[in-house]
Amino acid sequence: MQTPAVARPRTKPAETRQEELMDAAQALFLSQGVDATTISDIVAAADVAKGTFYTYFASRTEILQALAQRYTQRFMEDVDRAVQQYPTRDGVARLRAWIRANIELYVHTHALHDVVYANHHHHQRGNAERNAIQQQLLAILDAGIADGLWQLPAPQVTASLIYAGVHGATDDLIAAPAQDAEAFIGAVVDDCLRMVGVSPAPKRAGTRR
C-alpha cells in the first residue's frame, strides 16, 4: 500500500517571503544600483506578484531601510560572536576581537554597506545603527573599567573615538587593498589599545594580534 504524498504548502511563511524579497532586492541593488532597480524587477527576481511586495513594504525606500537594519543586525551579531570567544574578564582580548571583527567585516561587506547607507553620513546625529554598534563597544569598555583594566574618564567619548577611528581607517584599507591587511589591522588594534592606556603586547611571529 502506497503512503499518500504529503501535500506541500501553497504559501510560504511571512518571514520567509519577506526575507526572499529582501534578498532579491539586495542582489539587484548590488548588481545594478538602487536607482536602476524597480519594484517590478524585485518581484520578478523573487518570483512573487507585485501585490506581495506591498504586503511587506510600502516602497523601494522602505525595503532599502529594512536592508540597512538587517545589515547592521547581522554585522553586530558577527562581531558579538567574535567577542564572545574570549572570557568576560579578558577585556583586552575582547576589545582586540571587537576591533578586528569590525575591520574584517567592514572590508568584506563594504559594497552592501555603501548601498544601504548611501545617503547616511557617519557624522549624522541620531544615527541609530552607528549608536547600536558603539553601545556594543561601550559595554566592553565599561566592563574593563569595572575590572580595573583601564581608567576612562569619559568612556562614551572613548567609544566614539575608537568607532570613528576604526571605521575611518578601514576605508583606507578598502581603498588600497594591495597593502598588508594583517599588518594594517595590527596597527589599528595597537593604536586603539594605547587609547585606553594598554601597551600592546609584542607580536610573536605567526600569531594574530
Side-chain angles (χ1 to χ4, degrees):
M1 182 176 180
Q2 292 184 340
T3 303
V6 178
R8 296 173 59 188
R10 294 184 178 180
T11 59
K12 297 180 181 180
E15 296 80 4
T16 301
R17 185 67 76 192
Q18 185 176 20
E19 284 293 309
E20 288 178 347
L21 280 165
M22 291 174 66
D23 289 342
Q26 178 174 302
L28 288 167
F29 290 161
L30 283 169
S31 63
Q32 62 189 36
V34 175
D35 291 341
T37 300
T38 65
I39 292 175
S40 295
D41 293 334
I42 295 171
V43 298
D47 193 24
V48 299
K50 184 172 287 189
T52 303
F53 178 94
Y54 290 108
T55 300
Y56 303 100
F57 306 102
S59 63
R60 187 180 59 180
T61 298
E62 191 168 295
I63 197 171
L64 185 63
Q65 292 170 343
L67 285 170
Q69 293 171 357
R70 187 175 75 170
Y71 172 89
T72 298
Q73 182 61 39
R74 290 180 174 179
F75 190 99
M76 291 180 62
E77 289 172 354
D78 287 343
V79 171
D80 189 60
R81 276 191 288 271
V83 171
Q84 294 303 327
Q85 293 181 38
Y86 299 92
T88 303
R89 300 300 294 271
D90 194 348
V92 173
R94 288 166 76 89
L95 179 56
R96 284 180 176 274
W98 187 93
I99 297 165
R100 173 178 285 278
N102 268 263
I103 296 173
E104 292 178 340
L105 285 167
Y106 188 26
V107 168
H108 182 65
T109 65
H110 73 274
L112 177 57
H113 173 278
D114 291 351
V115 166
V116 298
Y117 291 125
N119 299 315
H120 212 157
H121 300 291
H122 288 291
H123 62 266
Q124 181 174 346
R125 296 173 178 85
N127 183 335
E129 292 78 17
R130 182 194 66 184
N131 291 341
I133 297 174
Q134 284 189 198
Q135 287 301 311
Q136 189 182 48
L137 170 59
L138 183 60
I140 296 172
L141 297 181
D142 283 341
I145 293 171
D147 291 337
L149 297 176
W150 41 66
Q151 295 180 350
L152 304 176
Q156 180 68 64
V157 173
T158 306
S160 295
L161 290 171
I162 292 176
Y163 171 88
V166 167
H167 285 261
T170 305
D171 283 330
D172 294 337
L173 179 58
I174 292 169
Q179 64 183 298
D180 186 338
E182 187 60 33
F184 181 93
I185 293 172
V188 174
V189 169
D190 286 351
D191 277 353
C192 289
L193 288 177
R194 293 186 185 98
M195 195 180 299
V196 299
V198 175
S199 297
K203 186 176 183 294
R204 293 176 297 174
T207 62
R208 299 176 94 196
R209 291 174 184 255

